[in-house]
Amino acid sequence: MGFGSVAMLAGPVPPGAAGCCRRLLAGALAAGLRPLLRGLPPCWVTPRRAAGQWPSPGLRVPEAAEAEQLVQQVKHTGVAVRRFIACPRLARTVQRCLQRGASRGSQPVLLECGPGPGVLTRTLLNAGVRVVALESNPAFLPNLQSLENSLDGQLKVIYADFCRLDPLTGAVKPPAVCSEKLFETVGVAAVPWKADTPVRIFGILPQSKERLILWRHLFALYERSSIYRYGRAELNIFISEREYKILTGKPGSAGSYQAITVLCQLGYEIQLLHMEPWSSFFTNLKNGGLAIPKSVRLPNDHLCLVRLTPQQNLFTGGLNPKNSPIFVFMVKQCLAKPKSRLIDRLNSWSLDNGSQLLRELEIPENAQTRNVYPEDYKRLFEALQSSTIFTENWWHEEVFENTRNINF
């Protein structure tokens, strides 16, 4: 017998009784479910969202002409030329590259540096990625903030310049930003060095500061400072093809095997994700020029999307964050004159047993510094730690001066 039959048998329902019954039923259900619901996260924090996997909001991605028009309306005031992704096709390619190789588990937040017109931003959001957009030009902020307000926490927009992260001198004034405050704001917590990456970062490096930014990150990586205090932060950056050739140079290669080559190959796993012609990007120049930097010895027809993942085994053997500035200085000194002999460099440091040391390491005594492999530089450093050279004041003063003389 149903509830309707019971009601008919009981006779007419008194006025207001139906509403009272509904309230009593709702109260009973709430009382019964309350113990089951206690301790659950807010309703918007679903398991997928907690794992960094958001449902697609179905945003409209502007066409290239619309994005270019938005960029043209923004006056170019800075010295550095900025490049933007305005083509939806390129945005989809970059989105797929960024998600390539990602595990099915919890995904770290993605910091998009310099989103500009937001073409890639919308593409990433439609793919279910949680994005923190760091934009340094106030003219782009209203469009991005309007998008942020239309979503339920999937996008956060911050007025910041990632290229001015953790300045070494002076007060931190926006758009300069402190990594500690930034990561606290976006909810990134420190993890052990060998754990999965705590945060992913995407950006297009300005050409005038490309090498400088890479050096800043190398110093921070080896010292485990800035973003690397939180773990093995992953960089996904567009750099010039010329710079990519240098980062992946082979020993003995004239012009492409440099100190930054050795340090990058030891410090990062370097993965080429994509190559794109310069013409696919839109610039903030008034005349719409491409501003392609010239290169004589190395090819430079593309921008390369490169993933730099810190090596899990970087701090093994005798290398650690405290003595890493000495190692960086040693490599820079050795490759300052790439055609010089390694033994001559060791002798210039007043090392008495340089020849014996090279024999023990099985490095030819007449080897030029540009022919020494990255792993051998690390082995040489570990062997030198027992030498008196590491206790001499002139060495430490010069190391300090060299490793701290890079700032924006």
Side-chain angles (χ1 to χ4, degrees), residues 165-169 209-220 260 328 332 399-408:
L165 182 74
D166 293 325
L168 299 179
T169 60
K209 296 181 178 180
E210 183 178 58
R211 177 63 65 90
L212 187 60
I213 295 172
L214 287 172
W215 270 116
R216 284 289 307 277
H217 275 278
L218 273 174
F219 282 128
I260 196 171
V328 172
K332 291 183 68 177
V399 168
F400 183 81
E401 184 67 25
N402 275 268
T403 57
R404 290 298 180 187
N405 198 27
I406 293 185
N407 197 10
F408 292 104

Side-chain angles (χ1 to χ4, degrees), residues 76-394:
H76 172 47
T77 56
V79 177
V81 177
R82 285 185 60 183
R83 301 182 193 278
F84 304 96
I85 294 176
C87 173
R89 175 200 60 81
L90 177 56
R92 290 192 296 271
T93 299
V94 172
Q95 170 256 311
R96 289 193 293 267
C97 288
L98 293 177
Q99 292 189 298
R100 185 187 306 161
S103 62
R104 295 184 178 181
S106 179
Q107 297 298 312
V109 64
L110 176 70
L111 269 59
E112 183 190 6
C113 307
V119 175
L120 178 61
T121 311
R122 289 170 176 263
T123 304
L124 291 169
L125 294 170
N126 283 340
V129 180
R130 182 189 169 214
V131 179
V132 175
L134 307 180
E135 179 53 59
S136 60
N137 192 324
F140 287 119
L141 290 176
N143 180 50
L144 293 168
Q145 289 169 340
S146 175
L147 180 60
E148 176 187 18
N149 294 333
S150 69
L151 300 172
D152 190 14
Q154 188 182 358
L155 171 66
K156 186 171 186 63
V157 179
I158 299 176
Y159 176 50
D161 185 355
F162 188 76
C163 294
R164 297 174 61 187
L165 182 74
D166 293 325
L168 299 179
T169 60
V172 181
K173 297 180 180 179
V177 60
C178 171
S179 60
E180 183 177 359
K181 184 176 181 180
L182 173 64
F183 283 10
E184 180 182 352
T185 301
V186 302
V188 175
V191 298
W193 184 254
K194 293 191 176 183
D196 291 336
T197 177
V199 62
R200 293 180 298 160
I201 299 162
F202 169 80
I204 304 174
L205 297 192
Q207 295 305 301
S208 62
K209 296 181 178 180
E210 183 178 58
R211 177 63 65 90
L212 187 60
I213 295 172
L214 287 172
W215 270 116
R216 284 289 307 277
H217 275 278
L218 273 174
F219 282 128
L221 170 66
Y222 277 88
E223 294 179 347
R224 285 198 63 179
S225 61
S226 187
I227 62 174
Y228 302 103
R229 289 197 303 111
Y230 294 82
R232 297 185 304 118
E234 177 189 284
L235 298 180
N236 298 269
I237 50 178
F238 269 111
I239 59 177
S240 65
E241 184 178 357
R242 174 185 179 275
E243 199 67 27
Y244 169 70
K245 294 293 184 182
I246 292 174
L247 296 189
T248 56
K250 303 298 182 183
S253 301
S256 63
Y257 193 69
Q258 304 175 13
I260 196 171
T261 310
V262 172
L263 295 169
C264 267
Q265 291 184 15
L266 284 173
Y268 293 108
E269 177 187 347
I270 305 173
Q271 182 182 3
L272 177 63
L273 301 179
H274 182 67
M275 297 178 68
E276 188 73 21
W278 293 84
S279 57
S280 299
F281 300 84
F282 196 74
T283 70
N284 59 342
L285 293 176
K286 292 181 180 180
N287 60 3
L290 297 178
I292 302 175
K294 296 181 180 179
S295 179
V296 178
R297 295 185 178 181
L298 297 173
N300 201 33
D301 300 323
H302 302 82
L303 276 173
C304 297
L305 179 56
V306 180
R307 174 171 292 164
L308 301 178
T309 308
Q311 299 278 10
Q312 283 189 336
N313 63 348
L314 176 58
F315 300 109
T316 57
L319 182 65
N320 58 63
K322 290 185 177 180
N323 62 23
S324 64
I326 302 177
F327 174 65
V328 172
F329 173 75
M330 185 198 81
V331 174
K332 291 183 68 177
Q333 286 286 300
C334 287
L335 286 162
K337 295 181 179 180
K339 293 184 179 180
S340 63
R341 297 192 310 164
L342 183 59
I343 185 63
D344 295 334
R345 176 55 64 186
L346 294 177
N347 291 336
S348 71
W349 295 335
S350 302
L351 190 67
D352 298 330
N353 59 343
S355 297
Q356 180 183 348
L357 181 60
L358 293 182
R359 284 195 300 270
E360 292 175 355
L361 296 174
E362 298 182 347
I363 299 175
E365 188 170 336
N366 62 346
Q368 295 181 339
T369 57
R370 68 178 180 181
N371 294 325
V372 180
Y373 282 80
E375 296 79 8
D376 288 333
Y377 274 113
K378 187 177 180 182
R379 291 170 56 230
L380 176 62
F381 171 75
E382 292 170 350
L384 284 172
Q385 287 187 98
S386 59
S387 170
T388 56
I389 191 174
F390 282 84
T391 61
E392 295 186 13
N393 290 331
W394 68 267

